[in-house]
Amino acid sequence: MDMTPQEYEQLVEKHCKASPLGKDMLWAFVIGGAICTLGQGILDFWKAAGLDEKDAATATSITLIGLSALLTGLHLYEKLAKHAGAGTLVPITGFSNSVASPALEFKSEGFVLGTGAKMFTIAGPVIVYGISASIIYGVILVIFGAV
């Protein structure tokens, strides 16, 4: 079946359901805000438990990562993401989900070739390009004497 790009675009538009943009943005805002509010509550908890600001922030990050991985393992994070969309991409919880999800999906292939090899299929490029960008930015700052 040969189609021109214009014919293909018309076919796609005919069969695609319109995205309720306003509703999607509202859910992303509400769920993303709820995750951030939860993070603030956890931070306040760790401070009340006697940790200083720096240690409480570290404990909060660890707690959010653990909760996100747990919810991913229980298949609850994907249900939340189905409604919240980009709202679940709050950096630390979204990153934890992007590591835990493929690790769980490929666990039947074993620890090395399954979990170990597939764990960073989604998060790996983020790590690689994040580190590369930080090195480039660092070199630029050194060259221009900003550091």
Side-chain angles (χ1 to χ4, degrees):
M1 179 168 156
D2 281 337
M3 287 186 167
T4 66
Q6 293 82 12
E7 291 172 328
Y8 179 75
E9 187 176 328
Q10 288 174 349
L11 183 67
V12 168
E13 287 178 17
K14 178 181 172 186
H15 292 285
C16 285
K17 185 173 77 170
S19 176
L21 186 60
K23 180 181 151 194
D24 290 348
M25 289 189 314
L26 177 65
W27 271 112
F29 177 78
V30 169
I31 301 299
I35 292 170
C36 292
T37 302
L38 173 66
Q40 184 63 49
I42 293 169
L43 178 67
D44 293 342
F45 167 79
W46 287 119
K47 284 183 185 177
L51 296 179
D52 64 21
E53 183 77 29
K54 184 178 177 185
D55 291 340
T58 301
T60 300
S61 296
I62 293 168
T63 304
L64 286 170
I65 289 167
L67 285 173
S68 178
L70 176 66
L71 291 176
T72 298
L74 296 173
H75 301 288
L76 297 174
Y77 201 92
E78 64 192 50
K79 290 178 183 177
L80 182 65
K82 192 179 289 186
H83 295 290
T88 56
L89 295 177
V90 174
I92 200 158
T93 56
F95 188 76
S96 175
N97 173 261
S98 72
V99 171
S101 188
L104 291 170
E105 185 178 341
F106 292 100
K107 70 180 179 185
S108 63
E109 295 179 23
F111 284 121
V112 175
L113 297 177
T115 301
K118 302 294 184 177
M119 187 180 298
F120 293 103
T121 53
I122 296 172
V126 173
I127 294 170
V128 169
Y129 289 111
I131 291 171
S132 300
S134 67
I135 291 169
I136 292 168
Y137 298 150
V139 169
I140 291 170
L141 289 173
V142 168
I143 290 171
F144 289 105
V147 177

